[in-house]
Amino acid sequence: MVKYEKEAHQKFIYGAMNEQVFPHVLITSDPVVIVDALEDVSNKKIVEGELIDKNEIEKQQEQRTERTHIETLWRDTELTKVLNRIDQYEKDQGYPPELRTSPIQNEEDFLRLLKDRKLLSDYPQCEGFPFGARPSLSGVAT
């Protein structure tokens, strides 16, 4: 149910549902923002309780897309290094020690690689991705 009340000091409510100016105070469970009567809201949208210019929203979306691409590329590069070292270590286990080429010489370093693999695999699902901190890797794969 929506309830309207007259507003005496010339403010309008910009409603998120219809994205239009109402000449009354709109009391509803939907987010609303109070704006000056003369403010042009035709190119604005409510985001998290704030009235934001749609151009700014598009810019933020472009930045997110670009940053996601950069972080995914970084993650894929690091994950490839880790997976290659894991594969090399596992294959080397079938050879005599004097013929092994893997720089990973012990089980402890191998477990670090497995932890790195897990961190890198989970990274895109982490809170704050793509703007959050990158995972801290052991450095064993480099």
Side-chain angles (χ1 to χ4, degrees):
M1 175 160 187
V2 176
K3 179 181 174 186
Y4 294 96
E5 293 180 2
K6 280 284 191 185
E7 183 80 79
H9 56 280
Q10 293 298 308
K11 294 270 187 181
F12 292 142
I13 294 293
Y14 179 73
M17 281 187 63
N18 298 327
E19 295 189 4
Q20 58 187 329
V21 175
F22 297 97
H24 303 89
V25 173
L26 176 63
I27 300 172
T28 177
S29 60
D30 297 321
V32 294
V33 176
I34 297 175
V35 297
D36 290 328
L38 300 177
E39 185 175 351
D40 178 18
V41 294
S42 61
N43 195 34
K44 299 197 178 194
K45 182 175 184 169
I46 295 178
V47 177
E48 296 179 7
E50 291 187 39
L51 195 60
I52 299 181
D53 189 290
K54 288 181 183 178
N55 293 332
E56 183 63 29
I57 294 169
E58 289 174 13
K59 181 179 172 185
Q60 289 173 1
Q61 289 171 339
E62 287 173 13
Q63 289 173 341
R64 174 172 286 283
T65 300
E66 181 180 342
R67 186 67 182 190
T68 298
H69 176 73
I70 290 168
E71 291 304 301
T72 302
L73 185 61
W74 173 83
R75 192 283 305 248
D76 291 349
T77 301
E78 294 301 313
L79 188 57
T80 298
K81 291 178 193 176
V82 168
L83 292 174
N84 286 341
R85 287 292 185 217
I86 289 171
D87 186 54
Q88 184 182 19
Y89 176 79
E90 289 175 336
K91 286 179 179 176
D92 270 4
Q93 297 310 299
Y95 300 127
E98 65 274 4
L99 298 176
R100 294 178 185 171
T101 59
S102 174
I104 310 306
Q105 299 299 316
N106 56 53
E107 194 72 21
E108 185 178 301
D109 284 344
F110 180 66
L111 290 175
R112 285 187 187 132
L113 280 175
L114 294 178
K115 288 178 184 177
D116 287 349
R117 179 182 68 176
K118 176 70 172 144
L119 288 170
L120 290 165
S121 295
D122 292 347
Y123 179 48
Q125 288 76 39
C126 288
E127 187 175 332
F129 181 83
F131 299 107
R134 288 177 173 175
S136 295
L137 304 177
S138 68
V140 175
T142 54

